[in-house]
Amino acid sequence: VGKSLLHSAEKLARSTSANEITLMVGSFNPGARKLYESVGFEVRAERKFEPFTGSDRQGRWIMMAKDLPEQTDI
């Protein structure tokens, strides 16, 4: 289901002529990061996550991105 949703988001981004798609994931969510990497996302930046009462545990925000090169019809 996750891969299907990511492919749909990529298709939508391409329809707007976007050349990149980005997302944020917490270092405390390794399963999601593995999913994003499996479909081609790469780490582009990280920053400290400041927890607050009721939030996720301490960690880092990780910005991931995937380049969307122009597709050519053959």
Side-chain angles (χ1 to χ4, degrees):
V1 172
K3 283 185 180 183
S4 179
L5 289 169
L6 289 167
H7 288 301
S8 293
E10 183 177 327
K11 185 177 177 181
L12 179 61
R14 285 183 187 280
S15 75
T16 68
S17 300
N19 59 7
E20 179 182 60
I21 188 169
T22 63
L23 56 81
M24 298 292 287
V25 64
S27 62
F28 37 80
N29 193 346
R33 181 176 175 175
K34 184 177 177 179
L35 170 66
Y36 303 144
E37 289 173 336
S38 77
V39 296
F41 282 84
E42 298 175 338
V43 174
R44 298 280 172 88
E46 293 188 35
R47 80 174 348 164
K48 185 178 178 182
F49 171 74
E50 295 292 340
F52 54 89
T53 304
S55 73
D56 290 308
R57 60 189 173 274
Q58 192 168 358
R60 298 190 62 75
W61 281 121
I62 302 167
M63 186 187 90
M64 302 184 79
K66 181 177 180 180
D67 293 328
L68 299 176
E70 188 175 327
Q71 290 186 327
T72 57
D73 294 330
I74 298 175

